[in-house]
Amino acid sequence: RAVTGFSGDGRAIWSKNPNYSPVNESQLFLYDTFPKNFFWGVGTGAFQVEGNWKADGRGPSIWDHFTQTHLKNVSSVNSSSDSYIFLEKDLSALDFIGVSFYQFSISWPRLFPDGIAAVANAKGLQYYNSLLDALVLRNIEPIVTLYHWDLPLALQEKYGGWKNEVLIDIFNDYATYCFQTFGDRVKYWITIHNPYLVAWHGYGTGMHAPGEKGNLAAVYAVGHNLIKAHSKVWHNYNINFRPHQKGWLSITLGSHWIEPNRPENTMDVLKCQQSMVSVLGWFANPIHGEGDYPELMKKQLLSILPLFSEAEKEEVRGTADFFAFSFGPNNFKPQSTMAKMGQNVSLHLRDVLNWIKLEYGDPRIFITENGWFTDSHVKTEDTTAIYMMKNFLNQVLQAIRFDEIRVFGYTAWSLLDGFEWQDGYTTRRGLFYVDFNSKQKERKPKSSAHYYKQIIRENGFPLKESTSDVRGEFPCDFSWGVTESVLKVSGYLTQFTDPHLYVWNVTGNRLLHQVGGVKLKTRPGQCTDFVSIKRQVKMLARMKVTYYRFALDWPSVLPTGNLSTVNRQALQYYRCVVSEGLKLNISPMVTLYYPTHTQLGLPTPLLQSGGWLNPSTAKAFQDYAGLCFQELGDLVKLWITINEPNRLSDIYNRTGNDTYRAAHNLLIAHALAWHLYDRQYRQAQRGSVSLSLHSDWAEPANPYAESHWQAAERFLQFEIAWFAEPLFKTGDYPLAMREYIAFKNRQGLSRSTLPQFTEEERRLVKGAADFYALNHFTTRFVMHARQNGSHYDTDRDVQFLQDITCLSSPTRLAVLPWGQRKVLSWIRRNYGDLDVYITANGIDDPALENDELRKYYLEKYIQEARKAYLVDKVKIKGYYAFKLTEEKFKPRFGFFTSDLKAKSSIQFYNKLISNGGFPSENNSPRCSQTQRNTECTVCLFLVQKKPLIFFGCCFFSTLVLLLSITFFHKRKRRKFWK
């Protein structure tokens, strides 16, 4: 019974390292297995699932009485899951999952109707013997809880329940009978399940049976008696039964977890410690700690808290063979369950386990209850329960592997839907669905049962990646790029081009004043006069990319929306951007039109005439595109007409028909521009034209639900195929999209209709793209959700779910690199062997300098692109990281901050580019970048330092001239004197 660890040590858990990397492997989802012979099981509580509360001589419990007097919405617990009469169905459910143990509780009033361990109720005894025999036959270890809250009502009425010390001996007698009768088959015993809730809700808030409230002294007296009752039973087992039964015994202690508002604030950390101590420490300190209540509790509660004598401390201390721990919704809800003390409730199971390790000397831990709940209307598709289980279990695995916490078993709660205490039947917690109103009470496996079965079979989360990381390089002509959004036109530096003379601060207002009548000689404007271009060139040179993707600003080029007014200065600006980049061997990929979810980016006259709802805007776009091809096409070989036209529902969202009409006109606009280029410019300029589609991947949120698989495919049809199908395949919208909208029309759930292509439009659109350009950022988990309304979003009947176990950015972009490979393969499978450019791929990273998340993202996503290229034979021609600079007050996607400070990911991306990908460790890159980068550095130096170089040349020439003259005169003087 030696106990190590010191009360208060757990406070170290809240001391977070401010420099901790978000991609530290100990914090990421862990793909690994649990230790060999890890204990996997499920649990139930007798009162929750047995039913038949009046059958076969069972006596009433305090919960039978409580449901009749306090839970008016619960007609009877007799419905329940009826485990008492459907034992074989429970056993079949256990067989289905493949558990190694089954934790259940014995109903005290079913064995002893009046609570006194005299002659046992024969029918009750027969039921538990049958259950134990069946478990042993199946090689399923029984774990038996003696008391899960269903105290015989007679003991409550006669003695006042757990307020009376007399129950300590009565409980010990009951336990003795159980040890004698069942101990030959039971090696794990739990005395009491979550005594905190028994005391706090049973005698404090009145939310649990027996429903007493308001008397704090009674609350702590009950807790005191529960601890002593447990201690007495432990000693009883230890002395009289352990020597020949060789079993183990503990008490299940439940708790919440809490995080400080300010981790660096000592007072907030102290409040968190107080919160944990007042719940878990209340029972854990006497049993697993020093044999007494925590000092924080004793100081706070003074005379209310009972005292342990020195003999009692010694009696209580160390009376548990392992730390049995409950972490589930009953410890969190309702709010009155725990003392929050103004801090933040958290579901971080790994941190609680670490707290237990520090406070109580690294005990062996058995998680005897864990899980979450769903609403009563949820039947077998309990998708959220899967993700909660995944999250909890992976935290346990991390605690075992990284923190060396000795967790040896896990109990998923619960095997069956049943009675959920104060919530009655309004929530469900079972792995198996039970229709309480049916006669046969069939156990139907939920998605969570399938998931847990898989976890047990695989003993955790083995890495299932079909292709491990591949070494090798992309082709030498691969486009390594960086993407920028719209480049706004900046004015010239006027000291070279403005012919006027200015005087500064004449009136003391610190402004320049033009001197009238004076004209100075100037030189023609040059590209280097643009300050913004100088900055961009400098940044691009640091990036060491071979391509730069940026977007033109349509309203700047054609303010009126037509060719009547052309802003030549804007065109010169963009030409300068391209030409200065080419001097550094950085080729352009130019986007003509780049709308965003907040800004349509159309010239004002076009906006006023209806924007993309007006078909004439397509013709205006063709004219604008033709001008750009004419003015810039000799320098630009890669064109994107429109960026992400499939995201227009953010703006044209009044009705679904508005969204579809706008999209239709955008498709026509793109096709007109493509045909114009193909007809007039391609032969001379030899470029390629496409549009760029937002192409995130979709996974079924619940892989065990067919409706989720259908929803995932439907998402891809509405998101990607909506534009890709007309361009790359049929010249028409996807049949699946048309049919689903028509289906919703028939159901009366939508009045949306997709536009019809005329035969001429089909011919125009089909094949009007030279490559597939995709912007990919994340993978979405989708589920089917029937929705009513005539909108693009509701037409899809799709709902998104966030996987809380995924590494995510501040904008909740999940980092799931394999999704990029899947979408690339999907594109090839559906649209053939196309050239593919990944035209935007990136993540928002809050770091201003050392952006570890972005580096991790780049490495993993480029690795998946490499697999798609090498293994899946996707013809990827280029990768463009998103984006060059971040914008103020917006998510931080940039390699440079808004004030142009470089981040460490630039160097990381440089290395990937110079290596051409992931060359083998022993091989140097095939396509050496050294020479190109050296040339670029020299070019950059020449471009940036022209004035200095000119001055240096002049100075050097003058010096040479002076030295020559001096030398000449010296020689002349010598000749003269001779």
Side-chain angles (χ1 to χ4, degrees):
R1 292 172 61 201
V3 176
T4 56
F6 297 94
S7 179
D9 285 358
R11 275 179 287 193
I13 296 300
W14 294 292
S15 300
K16 304 290 185 184
N17 183 350
N19 299 318
Y20 213 57
S21 167
V23 294
N24 184 291
E25 68 168 10
S26 68
Q27 303 302 306
L28 299 176
F29 188 88
L30 178 59
Y31 289 97
D32 201 349
T33 55
F34 284 81
K36 189 178 179 182
N37 299 322
F38 189 79
F39 227 16
W40 295 105
V42 290
T44 57
F47 188 78
Q48 296 179 280
V49 299
E50 283 185 4
N52 297 272
W53 68 282
K54 288 181 180 178
D56 294 341
R58 177 188 180 274
S61 74
I62 57 174
W63 270 97
D64 294 309
H65 183 260
F66 185 78
T67 55
Q68 294 172 3
T69 57
H70 289 72
L71 302 180
K72 303 298 183 185
N73 60 331
V74 179
S75 57
S76 169
V77 293
N78 205 40
S79 57
S80 190
S81 304
D82 287 344
S83 287
Y84 181 70
I85 60 174
F86 293 123
L87 174 58
E88 286 301 322
K89 293 182 180 181
D90 287 357
L91 294 169
S92 295
L94 292 170
D95 289 338
F96 175 85
I97 298 174
V99 294
S100 47
F101 73 83
Y102 177 41
Q103 181 188 162
F104 65 93
S105 72
I106 293 173
S107 171
W108 190 349
R110 194 177 292 284
L111 269 187
F112 301 106
D114 61 358
I116 305 300
V119 179
N121 173 24
K123 290 288 188 181
L125 180 59
Q126 180 185 344
Y127 170 70
Y128 292 116
N129 272 322
S130 298
L131 173 55
L132 286 169
D133 290 342
L135 293 174
V136 171
L137 186 66
R138 285 168 165 77
N139 202 28
I140 296 174
E141 191 79 50
I143 296 179
V144 178
T145 300
L146 296 172
Y147 180 66
H148 196 139
W149 308 355
D150 50 351
L151 185 73
L153 183 62
L155 298 181
Q156 181 69 33
E157 293 177 338
K158 186 173 181 179
Y159 300 110
W162 286 106
K163 289 184 294 185
N164 195 325
E165 280 193 339
V166 73
L167 256 68
I168 296 171
D169 289 327
I170 294 173
F171 181 64
N172 188 49
D173 292 341
Y174 158 59
T176 300
Y177 178 85
C178 292
F179 296 152
Q180 290 171 339
T181 309
F182 308 125
D184 59 327
R185 289 156 290 175
V186 178
K187 294 293 179 271
Y188 290 89
W189 294 94
I190 301 294
T191 55
I192 302 164
H193 184 88
N194 210 337
Y196 172 82
L197 295 180
V198 175
W200 188 255
H201 280 329
Y203 296 85
T205 66
M207 297 187 68
H208 282 191
E212 298 181 15
K213 57 184 175 182
N215 186 347
L216 266 184
V219 170
Y220 291 103
V222 167
H224 199 70
N225 290 334
L226 288 167
I227 292 170
K228 290 168 74 174
H230 158 77
S231 172
K232 191 173 186 73
V233 169
W234 187 89
H235 284 286
N236 179 8
Y237 186 81
N238 193 50
I239 295 167
N240 301 312
F241 298 96
R242 193 194 304 274
H244 59 278
Q245 292 185 358
K246 310 293 184 186
W248 296 270
L249 184 143
S250 189
I251 178 173
T252 290
L253 303 182
S255 183
H256 62 304
W257 181 245
I258 199 155
E259 299 277 359
N261 285 321
R262 299 161 295 177
E264 73 286 352
N265 186 281
T266 306
M267 189 55 66
D268 282 2
V269 170
L270 179 60
K271 287 177 180 177
C272 288
Q273 180 72 2
Q274 286 176 326
S275 177
M276 292 302 296
V277 157
S278 67
V279 177
L280 185 53
W282 177 5
F283 295 90
N285 252 54
I287 296 167
H288 294 278
E290 303 154 348
D292 198 2
Y293 295 117
E295 288 299 321
L296 285 172
M297 281 186 73
K298 291 198 285 188
K299 288 178 183 177
Q300 188 178 10
L301 296 167
L302 298 172
S303 59
I304 297 176
L305 195 65
L307 298 175
F308 287 111
S309 67
E310 289 305 315
E312 286 174 333
K313 289 178 185 177
E314 184 60 28
E315 185 79 10
V316 166
R317 186 173 69 90
T319 55
D321 301 324
F322 51 89
F323 199 115
F325 182 56
S326 162
F327 193 73
N330 291 329
N331 300 305
F332 289 86
K333 67 186 191 81
Q335 288 289 321
S336 59
T337 301
M338 65 217 150
K340 287 175 62 177
M341 298 187 177
Q343 306 309 304
N344 303 312
V345 174
S346 165
L347 295 178
H348 212 286
L349 175 54
R350 180 181 174 185
D351 281 352
V352 199
L353 296 173
N354 272 280
W355 190 87
I356 292 169
K357 176 182 179 179
L358 290 175
E359 287 279 329
Y360 305 113
D362 193 20
R364 294 177 72 239
I365 299 174
F366 190 172
I367 297 172
T368 50
E369 180 189 5
N370 182 236
W372 211 241
F373 65 92
T374 59
D375 292 332
S376 59
H377 65 81
V378 175
K379 294 185 178 179
T380 57
E381 287 188 13
D382 59 338
T383 305
T384 54
I386 291 176
Y387 288 90
M388 295 300 288
M389 180 183 286
K390 180 183 178 185
N391 180 41
F392 287 137
L393 275 172
N394 204 257
Q395 288 189 41
V396 174
L397 182 59
Q398 289 172 339
I400 293 170
R401 294 301 186 199
F402 294 131
D403 309 328
E404 298 181 344
I405 294 173
R406 299 191 298 155
V407 182
F408 69 92
Y410 177 88
T411 312
W413 203 276
S414 156
L415 175 65
L416 310 170
D417 287 336
F419 177 77
E420 291 301 332
W421 311 114
Q422 76 273 11
D423 292 328
Y425 295 103
T426 60
T427 62
R428 294 176 178 269
R429 290 189 64 190
L431 296 174
F432 284 79
Y433 170 78
V434 178
D435 181 354
F436 301 126
N437 297 318
S438 67
K439 287 184 178 180
Q440 292 302 310
K441 307 291 174 67
E442 297 297 339
R443 280 78 165 121
K444 297 179 181 177
K446 300 181 185 180
S447 299
S448 55
H450 289 281
Y451 184 68
Y452 192 42
K453 178 180 181 177
Q454 177 184 322
I455 294 290
I456 294 172
R457 185 175 66 248
E458 297 174 347
N459 198 34
F461 306 93
L463 186 62
K464 295 179 181 176
E465 175 60 61
S466 57
T467 309
S468 57
D469 286 353
V470 292
R471 311 305 299 180
E473 301 167 51
F474 287 96
C476 295
D477 61 350
F478 190 78
S479 303
W480 291 100
V482 66
T483 293
E484 189 61 287
S485 49
V486 176
L487 288 189
K488 295 290 185 182
V489 178
S490 300
Y492 284 114
L493 279 177
T494 56
Q495 69 261 37
F496 299 121
T497 58
D498 188 348
H500 298 100
L501 179 67
Y502 296 88
V503 179
W504 181 70
N505 203 28
V506 174
T507 60
N509 62 358
R510 305 175 71 84
L511 297 175
L512 289 169
H513 294 268
Q514 185 177 317
V515 178
V518 179
K519 292 276 186 173
L520 303 174
K521 189 175 180 180
T522 63
R523 63 161 173 75
Q526 298 177 9
C527 288
T528 51
D529 294 341
F530 289 104
V531 177
S532 61
I533 292 180
K534 284 184 178 179
R535 288 197 296 258
Q536 297 222 21
V537 166
K538 187 176 180 181
M539 288 188 289
L540 289 171
R542 289 194 67 172
M543 293 294 297
K544 297 183 181 177
V545 292
T546 58
Y547 273 80
Y548 177 39
R549 181 190 172 205
F550 66 91
L552 312 182
D553 184 37
W554 186 356
S556 295
V557 176
L558 295 178
T560 60
N562 57 45
L563 298 176
S564 63
T565 306
V566 177
N567 184 348
R568 293 289 168 187
Q569 184 170 310
L571 286 170
Q572 185 182 356
Y573 175 83
Y574 291 127
R575 188 171 182 85
C576 282
V577 171
V578 172
S579 60
E580 291 301 304
L582 286 170
K583 289 177 184 176
L584 303 180
N585 290 333
I586 299 173
S587 302
M589 175 185 274
V590 175
T591 302
L592 296 174
Y593 177 52
Y594 196 104
T596 67
H597 68 282
T598 57
Q599 189 83 27
L600 256 181
L602 287 172
T604 303
L606 296 181
L607 205 55
Q608 291 172 343
S609 64
W612 288 107
L613 295 177
N614 188 337
S616 65
T617 304
K619 180 62 174 66
F621 180 77
Q622 183 189 29
D623 293 341
Y624 161 61
L627 175 67
C628 296
F629 296 150
Q630 179 182 312
E631 297 295 326
L632 305 175
D634 58 322
L635 302 179
V636 178
K637 304 306 175 192
L638 289 174
W639 293 94
I640 298 293
T641 55
I642 304 163
N643 186 69
E644 296 189 354
N646 53 340
R647 281 301 172 98
L648 268 187
S649 61
D650 292 331
I651 294 178
Y652 289 107
N653 56 10
R654 188 176 61 88
T655 67
N657 287 338
D658 279 0
T659 307
Y660 300 132
R661 279 177 57 208
H664 192 78
N665 291 331
L666 276 162
L667 258 175
I668 299 300
H670 160 77
L672 288 171
W674 185 89
H675 280 282
L676 176 65
Y677 187 85
D678 193 56
R679 191 171 57 248
Q680 294 186 20
Y681 299 99
R682 189 187 303 277
Q683 188 173 0
Q685 297 179 359
R686 301 187 181 280
S688 300
V689 180
S690 189
L691 48 67
S692 192
L693 296 177
H694 193 105
S695 303
D696 284 341
W697 179 245
E699 280 286 303
N702 184 342
Y704 307 101
E706 181 60 30
S707 64
H708 288 218
W709 285 96
Q710 293 169 355
E713 181 60 28
R714 193 163 61 247
F715 171 84
L716 296 173
Q717 293 294 321
F718 273 75
E719 178 90 349
I720 301 176
W722 180 19
F723 280 79
E725 194 89 2
L727 288 172
F728 298 106
K729 204 167 187 180
T730 64
D732 197 2
Y733 296 117
L735 184 61
M737 193 175 176
R738 283 200 184 278
E739 287 180 345
Y740 199 79
I741 292 174
F743 163 75
K744 294 208 68 174
N745 289 167
R746 292 193 299 273
Q747 296 284 313
L749 297 174
S750 175
R751 294 190 300 276
S752 300
T753 54
L754 276 175
Q756 295 291 334
F757 285 98
T758 65
E759 194 55 43
E760 183 184 353
E761 287 175 337
R762 279 176 187 259
R763 288 195 300 270
L764 182 75
V765 168
K766 186 178 179 180
D770 300 320
F771 55 88
Y772 189 104
L774 71 149
N775 298 345
H776 176 85
F777 297 93
T778 190
T779 290
R780 314 290 292 274
F781 290 96
V782 300
M783 60 180 81
H784 173 75
R786 185 178 176 183
Q787 298 181 58
N788 192 351
S790 303
H791 298 275
Y792 169 75
D793 289 334
T794 55
D795 286 343
R796 300 183 298 183
D797 280 348
V798 161
Q799 187 175 323
F800 301 110
L801 182 143
Q802 190 80 15
D803 183 350
I804 57 176
T805 67
C806 286
L807 173 65
S808 298
S809 73
T811 59
R812 303 182 76 185
L813 287 179
V815 182
L816 294 165
W818 46 262
Q820 179 176 255
R821 181 181 174 190
K822 285 192 174 187
V823 78
L824 288 167
S825 297
W826 186 89
I827 290 164
R828 185 177 187 272
R829 194 163 58 248
N830 282 276
Y831 305 115
D833 201 19
L834 302 168
D835 286 349
V836 174
Y837 286 86
I838 300 169
T839 46
N841 180 237
I843 197 164
D844 55 308
D845 186 328
L848 290 171
E849 188 174 337
N850 188 21
D851 47 347
E852 294 286 337
L853 177 58
R854 180 169 294 106
K855 286 186 273 189
Y856 179 86
Y857 182 97
L858 285 169
E859 179 183 9
K860 298 302 180 183
Y861 275 78
I862 293 173
Q863 177 62 241
E864 291 301 312
R866 173 70 185 156
K867 291 176 192 176
Y869 174 80
L870 190 69
V871 180
D872 307 329
K873 307 303 180 186
V874 180
K875 290 169 61 178
I876 304 174
K877 308 294 285 184
Y879 174 90
Y880 293 71
F882 184 85
K883 70 192 203 79
L884 185 63
T885 56
E886 64 191 34
E887 301 171 61
K888 282 185 178 179
F889 315 117
K890 289 189 176 181
R892 300 183 185 278
F893 278 90
F895 285 94
F896 291 86
T897 64
S898 55
D899 53 357
L900 309 185
K901 290 180 181 175
K903 301 180 186 179
S904 62
S905 56
I906 293 172
Q907 196 171 357
F908 182 82
Y909 192 36
N910 289 169
K911 187 176 179 181
L912 284 173
I913 294 171
S914 62
N915 287 336
F918 306 93
S920 301
E921 292 180 8
N922 299 325
N923 295 341
S924 58
R926 286 184 298 108
C927 315
S928 176
Q929 299 290 311
T930 307
Q931 185 180 355
R932 183 182 65 81
N933 290 337
T934 303
E935 290 171 356
C936 290
T937 305
V938 172
C939 290
L940 177 67
F941 182 80
L942 292 173
V943 168
Q944 290 181 329
K945 306 297 182 182
K946 253 195 245 181
L948 184 63
I949 293 168
F950 178 73
F951 174 76
C953 290
C954 291
F955 178 78
F956 182 74
S957 301
T958 305
L959 186 64
V960 170
L961 183 61
L962 285 172
L963 289 172
S964 301
I965 292 171
T966 304
F967 179 73
F968 175 75
H969 276 282
K970 278 187 177 180
R971 288 191 63 185
K972 195 172 181 183
R973 287 177 67 187
R974 278 200 205 102
K975 285 182 181 179
F976 176 79
W977 288 109
K978 284 180 181 177

